[in-house]
Amino acid sequence: MSHYAPEAQRQIAGILIRDNGTATLFEHISEFNLSGDELAMLFIENGSAEEFCEHIAIFKKLSRDTAQALIRYNWSNNRVGRYVIDNIERFVGFDLNMGAAEFFVENAQTALVVANLNKFKNVDLRQLVEMVIRSGYGSFLMKHISEEPLSNLD
């Protein structure tokens, strides 16, 4: 497969993704000269970001752009965003800091931020709490108020 032009490889991968051939794609992933970022975008374009995330462990380095695309992918369902948080070490240039928290909130993933607040570093907790409340998640925040780091809020 690697002797095919990159565009042909992208087309073949796209067809496999669209036609429920992801098991075949991942079985032969080493034959494709496509980066993890390129594959992620193909999965996102084909409405299958969750399937990509289920295999995220095989990718060592993914970009900040890929992290953000995955977070934006499915705002009504936090599963894809959860994969980003749980695999943050795979995303180069995307850390769980105040900017990331804001990005999650802007993309309707506020509950995910609150539930994983202990994983975020270098956040202005007071500002984050205000942002969460403004986004309509005050009651969800209250369910977590006794947990670290919220329990340390002055």
Side-chain angles (χ1 to χ4, degrees):
M1 179 73 61
S2 61
H3 59 277
Y4 288 110
E7 185 53 37
Q9 290 184 37
R10 275 190 287 282
Q11 288 177 356
I12 292 167
I15 291 167
L16 287 169
I17 294 165
R18 271 191 310 280
D19 293 343
N20 297 319
T22 55
T24 302
L25 174 63
F26 282 110
E27 184 179 320
H28 298 282
I29 197 76
S30 64
E31 297 176 37
F32 287 85
N33 282 336
L34 299 174
S35 71
D37 293 320
E38 289 174 299
L39 283 170
M41 293 307 151
L42 283 171
F43 275 88
I44 290 168
E45 289 166 10
N46 286 287
S48 300
E50 287 182 54
E51 284 188 76
F52 174 81
C53 289
E54 290 169 6
H55 295 89
I56 206 165
I58 67 173
F59 302 102
K60 302 296 181 228
K61 289 185 180 181
L62 297 166
S63 72
R64 172 188 182 91
D65 291 341
T66 296
Q68 291 176 330
L70 289 168
I71 293 164
R72 279 191 300 264
Y73 168 73
N74 192 354
W75 59 265
S76 66
N77 181 331
N78 291 338
R79 282 186 291 213
V80 173
R82 187 172 296 116
Y83 277 108
V84 173
I85 288 176
D86 291 345
N87 293 278
I88 196 64
E89 73 282 355
R90 298 185 189 289
F91 296 97
V92 177
F94 191 78
D95 300 311
L96 295 178
N97 55 26
M98 191 65 185
E102 290 170 350
F103 190 81
F104 275 97
V105 171
E106 290 167 3
N107 286 280
Q109 306 259 343
T110 306
L112 192 56
V113 171
V114 173
N116 291 279
L117 197 53
N118 62 329
K119 296 178 182 178
F120 285 80
K121 307 297 180 218
N122 301 318
V123 295
D124 180 331
L125 199 52
R126 185 167 304 284
Q127 181 183 350
L128 184 59
V129 165
E130 290 172 5
M131 184 174 30
V132 167
I133 292 169
R134 278 194 311 272
S135 69
Y137 280 82
S139 62
F140 187 76
L141 181 72
M142 294 309 295
K143 292 177 185 176
H144 295 273
I145 200 70
S146 64
E147 300 172 10
E148 290 283 334
L150 289 173
S151 61
N152 296 330
L153 188 62
D154 295 330

